[in-house]
Amino acid sequence: MTVCTGNICRSPMAEIVLRDRLDAAGLGDQVEVSSSGVSDEEHGRPVDRRARRTLEAHGYPGGDGHRARQVTVDDLASSDLLLPMTAQHARRLRRLAAGAPADGLAEIRMYRSFDPDAPVVEPGGDEQPLDVDDPWYGDEAGFEDCLAEIEAAADGVVAHVRDRLTAREQAS
């Protein structure tokens, strides 16, 4: 599950890109990809029109049928991997996880940590250099930059998921 603020720009863009990359890697039928936001301010809204245009311009579906929703404690238990777009989102997810039973909680890992060209952040260090830029307040170029950051990390996410699936198969 990809996670941003309102679930109308970054996280649905990442959801769509990841679904495309997982399908291309032959893993689409083994992995469910979803998205959510840490806030309910956009609840029920579709993908932002600028995000939709940017996705479609790059050959991705525009997210028809997507409706923004807020992440829940149940998501932390039913998801294997939560991919926050910013350090602030990661902190919110970790606070939410603190109130949940520890068994079966999702791994929380910064989305851009999978980008081989992203800044290196020491474990327990400030994760802010890994933030995916928020395009909401900018122009179309901001959505292009956001998509580029999402695409740069997508193959790393796919490799991580593949490794986890392989490990799960070997353990069973």
Side-chain angles (χ1 to χ4, degrees):
M1 176 178 285
T2 59
V3 182
C4 68
T5 303
N7 191 220
I8 60 170
C9 296
R10 290 171 286 186
S11 61
M13 289 174 78
E15 173 188 356
I16 289 164
V17 169
L18 284 176
R19 190 173 292 124
D20 179 78
R21 298 285 175 92
L22 288 161
D23 285 345
L27 300 173
D29 61 341
Q30 297 176 55
V31 179
E32 180 181 335
V33 182
S34 61
S35 64
S36 64
V38 296
S39 168
D40 68 350
E41 66 191 82
E42 302 291 348
H43 181 80
R45 293 184 188 256
V47 173
D48 180 271
R49 61 181 163 61
R50 298 163 297 173
R52 180 185 309 274
R53 279 196 304 265
T54 301
L55 286 164
E56 290 171 348
H58 288 269
Y60 298 102
D64 292 340
H66 172 83
R67 293 292 173 255
R69 69 180 199 82
Q70 185 176 21
V71 67
T72 66
V73 172
D74 290 341
D75 292 325
L76 275 66
S78 65
S79 300
D80 293 313
L81 179 62
L82 292 171
L83 299 165
M85 298 290 119
T86 70
Q88 179 183 7
H89 302 139
R91 285 190 297 274
R92 297 270 301 268
L93 290 171
R94 290 182 184 116
R95 280 197 301 273
L96 186 61
D103 290 353
L105 286 180
E107 174 185 7
I108 299 171
R109 185 158 165 198
M110 294 287 291
Y111 183 88
R112 278 197 67 213
S113 70
F114 292 97
D115 177 353
D117 296 323
V120 175
V121 173
E122 297 299 321
D126 178 17
E127 296 173 310
Q128 196 168 353
L130 295 174
D131 285 0
V132 173
D133 291 333
D134 187 356
W136 175 256
Y137 296 104
D139 57 14
E140 300 293 329
F143 284 86
E144 290 288 336
D145 293 343
C146 178
L147 181 59
E149 290 175 339
I150 289 168
E151 288 179 322
D155 289 337
V157 174
V158 170
H160 180 75
V161 168
R162 181 184 290 113
D163 291 347
R164 287 187 67 177
L165 289 171
T166 300
R168 192 177 289 167
E169 288 173 10
Q170 291 173 350
S172 58

